Amino acid sequence: MRPIEKGTDLGEINPYERAQQPLIERLGEYCSYCERWIASGIHVEHKKPKNEYPETKFSWNNFLLACGNCNSGKGHGQLNLEDYLWPDSDNTFMAFNYDSQGRVLPNKIHTDSINRKIEATWLALGLNKHPDSQISGQQTPTSKDKRWLHRQQAWQNAAKRKSQLAAFDTEERRTEIVEMTIQRGFWSVWMTVFQDDVDMRRRLIEAFPGTAKACFDENTQPIQRPGGQI
């Protein structure tokens, strides 16, 4: 999950729908959770559900962007923010692994406490939805939930571009790859496929608006986010 930086706190925004434009300007038209690019209908997501927590309904600090699947899948009810990891406060790129089948898997290399929060986040956001239910915790998605399929396609696309780059590496081709990635999203998938290409990862970190640069060292390896849980 791409760690993001929302920038200056804009305080109270009422109605909250007006937060959509500044969020898009700062973060791009990407779901903050599954990372896919949304052509239209992207939602202003409330980390703490607005019905249960009306005191934060208009608070900039409570806003993210989400697609319909992630927004509806997260659901409602009482929620303690500290029980989960969030892309605007943690280095969530350290929380999950991505693979060629379109799966998102918890990266349980942390302390027991953090690992529990990673799994809770995985389940709450429906990132565990995948047709392969042999892995503990994974659930079969509905026919309308194609996030796993789009991740799989992004992986295939990224692997193909990487292979082409290996055969013929030019500045122009690298630029084209970044431009393609921006149009389609799934930043973490591309970062994973290009994990051994520091130059491409630097370009991806720079190209996506609002990526939290403090979450990476000079070689693009993820590091503890200042003030974050990971």
Side-chain angles (χ1 to χ4, degrees), residues 68-80:
N69 289 120
C70 287
N71 196 23
S72 61
K74 180 165 163 280
H76 306 287
Q78 299 295 312
L79 183 152
N80 180 7

Side-chain angles (χ1 to χ4, degrees), residues 16-31:
Y16 69 83
E17 289 88 348
R18 290 181 181 171
Q20 183 189 66
Q21 190 56 38
L23 284 168
I24 288 174
E25 290 172 357
R26 296 183 181 197
L27 305 176
E29 291 181 289
Y30 308 101
C31 177

Side-chain angles (χ1 to χ4, degrees), residues 94-111:
M94 300 173 71
F96 302 104
N97 291 322
Y98 297 78
D99 71 13
S100 61
Q101 301 306 305
R103 287 180 289 234
V104 181
L105 299 169
N107 184 24
K108 294 185 177 181
I109 61 171
H110 308 278
T111 64

